[in-house]
C-alpha cells in the first residue's frame, strides 16, 4: 500500500474503498457545478477536486465528496481514486493546468476518459495530443449556439439549422472557419 504524505489540506475523509467507476470533477465554478448537478440528476457517483476554500465549503454543504487540492497533483488524483475512476472532467479554464492534469491522469489510469474545455480553438489540438478524449472549445460552441439562435430567429427551419450545425461539428470546424 502506498504511503501518502500529509499535506495539511484534507477537506474530507473520503473512503477510497468506495470509489469505483466514479467521475472526478476538477474545478467547481459555474461549469463544474452544472456537471455536478447533471451527475446528481442521474445518480452517478462523483467527487470534486477544488482549490478555493470558499467553494470547498459550498461543496461540502451540498453534501458532495470533495478533495482540496490541484488536479495536476499525483497525490490529489490518487486521493480522488483516479485509478478506479471512470471519467475525469476538467472544468477549470486554465490551459496549462488542464494539460498537466490530463498527462498525470493518463499516466495513473491510461483507460480513464477525459473531457476538458478549451477557452480558445487554438488550444484544442494540443489538449487532444496530451490525451484528452473530448475537448469542448468555448469559442466554437459559443459561436455555434449564437448562430443557431440567430438562424432560427431569422426564420430558417429548425431542422435545417440543426442539420447545418451538425455538419460543422461532424466534419470539423477547421473546414468551416
Amino acid at each position: 500500500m502506498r504511503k501518502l504524505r500529509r499535506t495539511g489540506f484534507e477537506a474530507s475523509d473520503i473512503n477510497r474503498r468506495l470509489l469505483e467507476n466514479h467521475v472526478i470533477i476538477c474545478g467547481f465554478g459555474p461549469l463544474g457545478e452544472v456537471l455536478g448537478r447533471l451527475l446528481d440528476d442521474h445518480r452517478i457517483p462523483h467527487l470534486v477536486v477544488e482549490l478555493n476554500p470558499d467553494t470547498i465549503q459550498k461543496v461540502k454543504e451540498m453534501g458532495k465528496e470533495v478533495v482540496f487540492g490541484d488536479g495536476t497533483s499525483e497525490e490529489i488524483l490518487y486521493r480522488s481514486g483516479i485509478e478506479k475512476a471512470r471519467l475525469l472532467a476538467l472544468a477549470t479554464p486554465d490551459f496549462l493546468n488542464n494539460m498537466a492534469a490530463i498527462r498525470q491522469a493518463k499516466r495513473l489510469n491510461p483507460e480513464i476518459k477525459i473531457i476538458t474545455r478549451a477557452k480558445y480553438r487554438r488550444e484544442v489540438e494540443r489538449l487532444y495530443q496530451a490525451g484528452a478524449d473530448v475537448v469542448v472549445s468555448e469559442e466554437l460552441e459559443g459561436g455555434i449556439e449564437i448562430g443557431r439562435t440567430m438562424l432560427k430567429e431569422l426564420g430558417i427551419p429548425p431542422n435545417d439549422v440543426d442539420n447545418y450545425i451538425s455538419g460543422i461539428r461532424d466534419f470539423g470546424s477547421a473546414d468551416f472557419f
Side-chain angles (χ1 to χ4, degrees), residues 52-76:
N52 183 315
D54 294 332
T55 303
I56 286 175
Q57 187 58 40
K58 175 181 161 184
V59 172
K60 289 173 84 174
E61 288 169 4
M62 296 170 82
K64 293 185 179 297
E65 297 287 349
V66 62
V67 174
F68 179 39
D70 187 335
T72 65
S73 161
E74 177 181 358
E75 182 176 348
I76 296 304

Side-chain angles (χ1 to χ4, degrees), residues 111-128:
E111 303 303 315
I112 195 165
K113 296 296 179 194
I114 300 176
I115 300 173
T116 190
R117 70 195 264 190
K119 185 170 179 88
Y120 304 108
R121 285 180 30 238
R122 67 178 181 263
E123 299 169 345
V124 171
E125 188 58 35
R126 289 184 59 203
L127 290 163
Y128 278 122

Side-chain angles (χ1 to χ4, degrees), residues 11-12 14 47-50 56 65-69 76 79-80:
S12 70
I14 294 173
L47 63 82
V48 173
V49 173
E50 177 59 54
I56 286 175
E65 297 287 349
V66 62
V67 174
F68 179 39
I76 296 304
R79 219 179 259 159
S80 302

